[in-house]
Amino acid sequence: MASTKNWFETIAEAQRRAKKRLPRSVYLALVAGTEKGVTISDNVEAFSELGFRPRIADLPAQRNQATTVMGQDISFPVIISPTGVQAVYPEGEVAVARAAAGAGTAMGLSSFASRSIEDVAAVNDKTFFQMYWVGSRDQLLARAERAKKAGAKGLIMTLDWSFDSARDWDAPMIPEKVNLKAALHFAPEVLRKPRWLWDFARTGKLPDLTTPNLAIGDEAPPTFFGAYFQWMQTPPVTWADVAWLREQWDGPFAVKGIMHPDDARRAVDAGCTAISVSNHGGNNLDGTPASIRALPAVVDAVGDQIEVLQDGGIRRGSDVVKALALGAKAVLIGRAYLWGMAAAGQHGVTNTLEVLRQGIDSTLLGLGKSSIHELSRDDLVIPENFALTAKS
């Protein structure tokens, strides 16, 4: 367990500390979401609709959380979800990777990350590289080959994005790069958060808004918005494209963004080894139901043909157990660890992972389960019409 200094007991407390520590624009960038925020809210609130069927005697003295995902043995069923440029802490994704390695779990690294695949894979040997369909096939293949050479154990293809970024509560202004003009614009809110500013000041570096993992060869890394523009200009991905890239990659291959059983079946047909039931954390098409509502129908559609993961709305260990009981093999977390990092750097990510591990353990105890592999839908109280059906 990490040091008890500045320890937070819940993800909600990590979020409160992150909001207190971060400049307003940086915090709003983490909250994200689109339009009215229907999906981002439902991702979290849907878990509260699920109940448990607890047991009270003959409970197991030991509970096992270990599992295997995409060929990697992990100590508990929580994986770091790939998220974009992380300007909340100087070490960014490297700090996250170290915390994940210390917890015995895997790290998903975004192609829009602020730290390179080489830096991250060097500190966590269970790293999966995430790609968007950006650029030509030759460019995509070059990035995948670079990730493989760096030590990435698997590839994650994220497909759920419609380029909608409008928010009713005001989207923050994100600069193309941190220069004098940007510094002057953000100075009033940054100076009100001296602890965050000091974290960067003592490293002698400004927040990095470039995307080193999209660079090919010796070319300079594009800025986040430069990469985003290239992405928007790339023709939409097809299932034939997915199958092609899967053929080029000789390791575990996942598709992230599945919400419909038909897409789950198409992923199986394309030869994928895993899928993530996800709506991009509510950062996509607003009005999409919570990913946990889509999970049962997806699991029923593909059975044991492919590993099914769930991403979206995880805030406590009991949420993880609910997802596993509905058929997920593991979950991915995004905002939860970002809030932990914003609150206390690498220690905060470690803290987040330990909060979830402890929550899983206590939930297994309450359900009378000695292993996560014993969980089933019979352990849950599921309201009528909670889950999406194949036709809904």
Side-chain angles (χ1 to χ4, degrees), residues 30-325:
L30 293 192
V31 173
T34 59
E35 295 187 335
K36 190 178 179 179
V38 172
T39 300
I40 188 176
S41 296
D42 196 40
N43 267 354
V44 176
E45 294 167 2
F47 280 97
S48 298
E49 297 178 25
L50 295 169
F52 289 116
R53 299 179 185 275
R55 309 305 293 267
I56 60 170
D58 295 327
L59 305 181
Q62 303 291 328
R63 279 79 58 191
N64 178 27
Q65 298 188 33
T67 191
T68 302
V69 174
M70 292 179 66
Q72 300 302 300
D73 295 330
I74 54 178
S75 67
F76 75 131
V78 177
I79 297 170
I80 296 296
S81 187
T83 62
V85 176
Q86 297 175 6
V88 299
Y89 186 68
E91 289 190 293
E93 293 86 357
V94 170
V96 178
R98 287 200 196 100
T105 195
M107 165 83 178
L109 179 70
S110 174
S111 57
F112 277 64
S114 63
R115 297 297 297 267
S116 72
I117 179 62
E118 290 81 6
D119 288 348
V120 169
V123 299
N124 189 326
D125 64 358
K126 302 179 193 302
T127 295
F128 305 134
F129 184 63
Q130 176 264 0
M131 295 177 65
Y132 291 102
W133 194 259
V134 179
S136 67
R137 283 191 171 188
D138 287 344
Q139 290 174 312
L140 285 153
L141 187 57
R143 294 178 192 127
E145 290 174 344
R146 174 186 168 187
K148 173 72 75 173
K149 184 178 179 180
K153 298 299 193 298
L155 205 63
I156 299 173
M157 198 72 195
T158 297
L159 302 184
D160 57 334
W161 188 254
S162 59
F163 302 109
D164 187 357
S165 59
R167 299 168 192 161
D168 289 1
W169 55 95
D170 184 26
M173 181 273 217
I174 300 176
E176 175 76 11
K177 58 184 177 179
V178 181
N179 53 19
L180 178 59
K181 180 180 178 181
L184 291 173
H185 175 85
F186 288 100
E189 61 179 277
V190 169
L191 292 174
R192 286 195 289 268
K193 305 293 183 178
R195 292 170 60 199
W196 178 83
L197 180 60
W198 173 243
D199 281 343
F200 284 93
R202 63 185 179 182
T203 69
K205 298 179 180 179
L206 295 171
D208 188 355
L209 300 182
T210 61
T211 55
N213 293 306
L214 289 177
I216 298 173
D218 296 328
E219 67 184 22
T223 64
F224 178 84
F225 283 106
Y228 191 82
F229 179 77
Q230 183 184 6
W231 186 15
M232 293 182 70
Q233 302 309 304
T234 302
V237 66
T238 68
W239 280 112
D241 291 327
V242 174
W244 168 82
L245 186 58
R246 200 280 168 268
E247 289 177 358
Q248 312 308 309
W249 181 266
D250 62 359
F253 186 101
V255 167
K256 183 174 180 290
I258 300 291
M259 286 291 292
H260 198 290
D262 287 348
D263 284 337
R265 296 185 188 98
R266 295 298 296 270
V268 171
D269 293 342
C272 301
T273 52
I275 55 175
S276 175
V277 179
S278 169
N279 53 37
H280 215 105
N283 296 320
N284 191 22
L285 182 63
D286 198 33
T288 303
S291 57
I292 192 67
R293 299 189 193 278
L295 178 62
V298 169
V299 169
D300 291 345
V302 297
D304 58 1
Q305 300 175 80
I306 196 169
E307 293 180 359
V308 180
L309 312 176
Q310 188 270 336
D311 187 332
I314 299 292
R315 297 294 183 269
R316 47 191 56 84
S318 59
D319 293 341
V320 179
V321 171
K322 289 172 181 177
L324 269 56

Side-chain angles (χ1 to χ4, degrees), residues 3-15:
S3 167
T4 56
K5 181 182 179 182
N6 298 322
W7 184 263
F8 48 82
E9 295 186 345
T10 66
I11 305 303
E13 175 58 23
Q15 183 179 0

Side-chain angles (χ1 to χ4, degrees), residues 51-53 321-327 364 367 369 371-382:
F52 289 116
R53 299 179 185 275
V321 171
K322 289 172 181 177
L324 269 56
L326 289 178
L364 289 176
L367 293 174
K369 304 295 182 181
S371 168
I372 58 171
H373 302 289
E374 297 174 1
L375 294 165
S376 72
R377 295 179 192 179
D378 289 340
D379 296 308
L380 302 179
V381 179
I382 306 173

